[in-house]
Amino acid sequence: MTKLKILQDNQSYTFRSYFELPYEADDILAEFDYTLIKSHLSLPQTTQPLNQLPELKQRIEDILPFISLSNETARRETLVSPILLEVIRYCQCQMRIEYPLSINNRLKGNLDYLLRLKNNLLVIEAKNDDLTRGFTQLAIELIALSHIEEKTTLYGAVTIGNIWQFGKIDSSQQQITQDIKVPGDLDNLVAVIVGILEGV
């Protein structure tokens, strides 16, 4: 099978550009010599008690009737940021918002969220409504990070606020795995994010 040529040699691409390309994720990733696997990921989960989550759930539920979630910024501010701030309380990780990253003309842009605890990190890409193209953008961001991180396995997640999808890159195998189960439960979601950061 012939490899589809998508990226133009004389053109510059940001992470957002990959979200806007009308091609399938596996074809885009092949441009970087990566393969995409869709499979159940065995995601790490923390064992520490997450006692404050019921209060967070209630706060979010209380304000949802009064907020329109029709754009990406509204979803990030209302649904994503409160969860990530809660994660910081549990694991004392560092969070960067709109983190700039520039590797070359094909791998550059801003990461919505970059969470780091010791040697573990998690990239989170927040989108308005398209998880499929959002995952493509996330995968490219993980490829970019693999150029500067020492670890060969990195995790990422794409979210529209109430639905999260995780992915993992293995740069030594040049492989990205897209998790085919989507956690919707806040307890499970926070346990996974903290587990990744703790390196469980």
Side-chain angles (χ1 to χ4, degrees):
M1 186 171 152
T2 309
K3 184 174 155 182
L4 179 65
K5 179 73 174 158
I6 295 173
L7 303 180
Q8 304 305 311
D9 293 332
N10 59 348
Q11 191 166 339
S12 182
Y13 297 89
T14 65
F15 298 139
R16 175 75 186 182
S17 303
Y18 296 98
F19 177 81
E20 295 168 351
L21 288 174
Y23 301 98
E24 296 295 327
D26 55 346
D27 291 331
I28 293 171
L29 296 179
E31 292 277 307
F32 296 92
D33 296 320
Y34 271 80
T35 56
L36 176 66
I37 295 175
K38 296 181 181 183
S39 175
H40 284 285
L41 276 176
S42 179
L43 295 166
Q45 288 198 10
T46 188
T47 55
Q48 72 167 293
L50 305 172
N51 299 328
Q52 304 300 318
L53 288 185
E55 295 165 14
L56 175 61
K57 283 183 199 175
Q58 189 60 55
R59 283 195 312 270
I60 293 173
E61 286 177 11
D62 288 347
I63 62 171
L64 281 179
F66 307 103
I67 298 175
S68 171
L69 299 176
S70 58
N71 62 62
E72 187 175 313
T73 303
R75 289 173 182 269
R76 284 177 60 179
E77 296 295 321
T78 307
L79 299 174
V80 180
S81 289
I83 291 170
L84 298 182
L85 293 173
E86 191 69 21
V87 166
I88 292 170
R89 289 181 62 199
Y90 286 116
C91 64
Q92 304 295 297
C93 62
Q94 185 181 65
M95 181 167 73
R96 299 286 186 248
I97 302 170
E98 292 294 322
Y99 182 76
L101 181 62
S102 181
I103 304 301
N104 56 41
N105 270 352
R106 291 185 172 188
L107 296 171
K108 63 182 180 178
N110 291 333
L111 308 176
D112 285 350
Y113 301 95
L114 176 65
L115 282 76
R116 183 183 299 273
L117 181 63
K118 298 176 188 145
N119 292 327
N120 302 307
L121 60 86
L122 175 66
V123 179
I124 297 175
E125 182 61 37
K127 289 295 172 202
N128 186 30
D129 60 2
D130 194 334
L131 277 179
T132 302
R133 286 188 173 176
F135 189 85
T136 301
Q137 181 176 340
L138 172 70
I140 297 297
E141 293 171 355
L142 289 171
I143 290 172
L145 269 175
S146 74
H147 283 77
I148 60 171
E149 292 295 324
E150 292 180 7
K151 292 184 84 167
T152 58
T153 301
L154 304 171
Y155 288 93
V158 61
T159 181
I160 57 173
N162 56 343
I163 300 173
W164 293 65
Q165 184 171 55
F166 286 86
K168 178 176 82 169
I169 185 172
D170 181 342
S171 58
S172 65
Q173 300 291 314
Q174 290 195 276
Q175 185 176 79
I176 293 177
T177 304
Q178 180 178 7
D179 194 12
I180 57 175
K181 63 182 177 299
V182 181
D185 176 47
L186 186 60
D187 294 298
N188 185 46
L189 172 66
V190 173
V192 166
I193 293 173
V194 174
I196 288 170
L197 292 166
E198 289 179 340
V200 174

